[in-house]
Amino acid sequence: MIKHDFGDRTMDTQKLRQIITDAISKRPPSEMKYYHICWWEKRIQCLSLRHTDKMHDIFFFAGEDAFKNGLSSYQYKLIESRIRDFCEGNKIALGITSYKKGTYGGKYMRKQKLQITEFDSRRLTTLVLNARADGSSTEEKLCQLQSLLEKAEIVAPESIPANIVTMNSKLRLKDFKSGDDIVISLVFPNDATVDKNFDDMKVSVLSPIGLSVFAREVGETVSEKIKVQEILFQPEAMRRFDL
């Protein structure tokens, strides 16, 4: 296969889009029917989600149908933005025009290194793939969650610190705007409730609050509006590795 020559300073957005579409069109057959666009063997490829156990940079993942039916404009721009940031960070000479850093990919980046359990990572990856296939959530929310999963350090459930918000954790938040304390449980979308009772709301991980607090540490302030005050229950700390 021909490797991409990123030394071409005349490369523009159209050329980058062509590299991405070529990678998608050349994806190998996979029994899993799930793929990701990644940096592998010094080029951009679209490969099976589990083509290797080695750590490598991933820009986007979805099911076979999403690639077969064609990605949306938003998805393409998200992938392009992540590839540009990757090339810049790794000093790969990728000549691009008409680019404003962080317009898509950088918007949801967090400064600290995230830690997510293997169990949560598997379940949330499946959630993104299924929701993308059945259209049960907006692409923007799915991309936010996907970005967190791709950037996180995956650890064994028994190794996750007790001060990190994991799935099915119960936590107390401080709402700076109202001054109130809010108690929520972070749950999967099907378990979320619409009850506004501030004593114990079950909040979906795909909600704005859920996406903000997932994998946060106690003491962190989220978007200058909410602070994670205390974790009242974390499954892993209680050795409940089934939750």
Side-chain angles (χ1 to χ4, degrees):
M1 294 184 180
I2 299 176
K3 296 182 179 180
H4 306 311
D5 179 11
F6 290 121
D8 180 5
R9 289 291 179 178
T10 65
M11 180 183 287
D12 56 14
T13 300
Q14 185 176 1
K15 188 170 182 180
L16 177 56
R17 179 72 62 91
Q18 187 61 52
I19 289 174
I20 296 169
T21 54
D22 285 348
I24 293 172
S25 68
K26 295 174 182 176
R27 64 189 183 280
S30 170
E31 293 183 0
M32 283 188 61
K33 301 297 183 182
Y34 295 116
Y35 296 87
H36 61 211
I37 296 174
C38 62
W39 182 257
W40 185 249
E41 296 180 340
K42 297 184 179 180
R43 64 181 182 272
I44 295 169
Q45 299 194 60
C46 185
L47 301 170
S48 170
L49 204 60
R50 294 180 182 173
H51 69 96
T52 180
D53 292 329
K54 294 182 179 179
M55 295 291 292
H56 63 297
D57 290 273
I58 298 171
F59 309 116
F60 184 80
F61 62 80
E64 166 72 20
D65 289 343
F67 290 111
K68 184 185 297 183
N69 297 331
L71 301 181
S72 68
S73 176
Y74 180 90
Q75 290 170 330
Y76 268 116
K77 289 177 180 178
L78 179 73
I79 297 166
E80 291 163 7
S81 177
R82 289 174 175 174
I83 291 174
R84 297 172 200 271
D85 287 344
F86 164 77
C87 291
E88 181 176 325
N90 290 276
K91 297 182 179 180
I92 295 174
L94 177 60
I96 296 292
T97 59
S98 304
Y99 169 54
K100 184 177 181 180
K101 184 179 180 181
T103 303
Y104 291 87
K107 182 178 179 181
Y108 307 113
M109 299 298 181
R110 294 178 180 176
K111 293 180 180 179
Q112 67 275 16
K113 183 71 173 178
L114 297 175
Q115 285 190 322
I116 299 174
T117 69
E118 295 170 339
F119 190 36
D120 283 350
S121 177
R122 288 197 304 270
R123 293 185 295 174
L124 291 172
T125 296
T126 300
L127 170 64
V128 171
L129 293 169
N130 290 342
R132 193 166 268 147
D134 61 27
S136 59
S137 184
T138 65
E139 181 60 27
E140 183 174 2
K141 290 180 180 178
L142 296 177
C143 285
Q144 289 183 54
L145 179 55
Q146 179 178 333
S147 180
L148 297 182
L149 296 173
E150 291 170 351
K151 298 297 180 182
E153 175 187 359
I154 308 302
V155 301
E158 57 269 22
S159 299
I160 195 79
N163 66 335
I164 290 180
V165 179
T166 62
M167 290 305 301
N168 293 308
S169 289
K170 185 174 182 178
L171 51 149
R172 178 179 288 110
L173 306 175
K174 168 66 73 174
D175 185 338
F176 291 138
K177 185 176 181 179
S178 66
D180 294 331
D181 281 357
I182 305 172
V183 176
I184 70 167
S185 293
L186 183 66
V187 300
F188 290 89
N190 289 341
D191 298 322
T193 60
V194 295
D195 185 8
K196 298 298 183 181
N197 178 10
F198 280 6
D199 290 333
D200 188 10
M201 292 190 294
K202 291 185 177 180
V203 175
S204 168
V205 68
L206 287 176
S207 69
I209 293 179
L211 287 166
S212 296
V213 302
F214 176 57
R216 292 285 190 175
E217 295 182 4
V218 172
E220 279 196 72
T221 297
V222 181
S223 303
E224 300 182 355
K225 297 178 181 179
I226 295 175
K227 181 179 181 179
V228 180
Q229 292 273 74
E230 179 184 6
I231 294 180
L232 304 172
F233 172 80
Q234 187 211 60
E236 294 77 13
M238 301 303 294
R239 316 300 290 177
R240 289 296 308 275
F241 301 127
D242 58 319
L243 294 179

